[in-house]
């Protein structure tokens, strides 16, 4: 668990949740520089961005009293997408959160009306649960994905 703390601390420095290099840690370069990740973005980071866009669209749609805009199959890659080096120590531990998230997504897709709204909020909590273990940088962003005035 000591490692989890260590990588979480790095996450706090690099807001986009790209692990900083050692020199970045000692120099404490601005977060903006870490975000523009010169080493390229991992498959998992790109998937996370797609998931974030999906949540933003679902939130807007639910706030307008409409259903969610479909259920992308691509998110099933969550259990195998390659992460930024050093981000995931134990893939089985990570995948327990990933499977829970995918099952919560299924619930959103299968429910309707008020039930879908509640399922959406459970899905969002599922994002938070994993991020509390893996990468705390995006947590404020995930908190803002809550549906307003349902
Ligand atoms: C199973 C664990 C897990 C779940 C569930 C999860 N995340 Fe992530 N997220 C991560 C990890 C690990 C990273 C770092 C990925 C990397 O750098 O390779 C990340 C990265 C991110 C990033 C930063 C991407 C970037 O630009 O570098 C955002 C934003 C994000 N997640 C939002 C979300 C949202 C929104 C949800 C729910 C829809 C979510 N995450 C669900 C583990 C998770």
């Amino acid at each position: 668990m000591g490692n989890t703390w260590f990588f979480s601390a790095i996450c706090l420095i690099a807001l986009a949740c790209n692990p900083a290099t050692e020199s970045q840690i000692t120099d404490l370069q601005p977060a903006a520089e870490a975000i523009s990740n010169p080493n390229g973005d991992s498959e998992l980071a790109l998937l996370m961005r797609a998931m974030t866009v999906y949540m933003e669209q679902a939130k807007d749609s639910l706030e307008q009293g409409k259903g969610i805009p479909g259920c992308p199959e691509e998110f099933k890659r969550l259990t195998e997408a390659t992460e930024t080096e050093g981000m995931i120590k134990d893939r089985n531990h990570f995948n327990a959160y990933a499977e829970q998230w995918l099952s919560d997504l299924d619930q959103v897709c299968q429910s309707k009306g008020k039930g879908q709204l509640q399922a959406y909020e459970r899905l969002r909590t599922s994002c938070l649960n994993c991020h509390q273990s893996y990468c705390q940088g995006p947590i404020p962003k995930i908190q803002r994905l809550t549906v307003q005035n349902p």
Side-chain angles (χ1 to χ4, degrees), residues 16-17 42 48-49 51-52 55 83-84 94 98 101 127 130-131:
C17 158
S42 71
M48 286 291 158
R49 277 176 228 168
M51 282 159 57
T52 306
M55 293 295 278
E83 74 279 12
T84 306
F94 176 87
W101 191 85
C127 303
C130 189
H131 273 268

Side-chain angles (χ1 to χ4, degrees), residues 1 16 20 27 39 42 47 50 55 61 69 73 77 81 104 113 123 126 129 145 147 149-150:
M1 277 302 123
D27 298 340
N39 305 319
S42 71
L47 189 62
M55 293 295 278
S61 194
E73 286 288 310
R77 300 232 359 106
D104 289 335
L123 180 65
S126 203
N129 288 343
L145 288 169
V147 170
N149 309 317

Side-chain angles (χ1 to χ4, degrees), residues 51-124:
M51 282 159 57
T52 306
V53 170
Y54 175 74
M55 293 295 278
E56 283 164 355
Q57 288 169 350
K59 172 185 188 293
D60 283 353
S61 194
L62 288 167
E63 283 172 356
Q64 291 164 30
K66 296 189 253 168
I68 52 145
C71 289
E73 286 288 310
E74 62 175 296
F75 296 156
K76 299 225 163 83
R77 300 232 359 106
L78 189 53
T79 53
E80 44 192 66
T82 317
E83 74 279 12
T84 306
E85 209 189 327
M87 194 60 81
I88 299 173
K89 284 278 140 195
D90 177 348
R91 194 75 204 197
N92 288 334
H93 182 262
F94 176 87
N95 277 354
Y97 285 105
E99 297 285 0
Q100 181 61 51
W101 191 85
L102 289 169
S103 133
D104 289 335
L105 178 64
D106 261 0
Q107 290 298 311
V108 176
C109 296
Q110 283 167 28
S111 49
K112 291 195 171 70
K114 190 100 186 150
Q116 188 166 63
L117 209 143
Q118 287 161 351
Y120 170 89
E121 282 298 318
R122 282 195 298 274
L123 180 65
R124 196 181 61 84

Side-chain angles (χ1 to χ4, degrees), residues 30-52:
E33 216 161 320
I35 287 167
S36 68
N37 191 4
N39 305 319
D41 300 306
S42 71
E43 195 187 345
L44 186 62
L46 295 176
L47 189 62
M48 286 291 158
R49 277 176 228 168
M51 282 159 57
T52 306

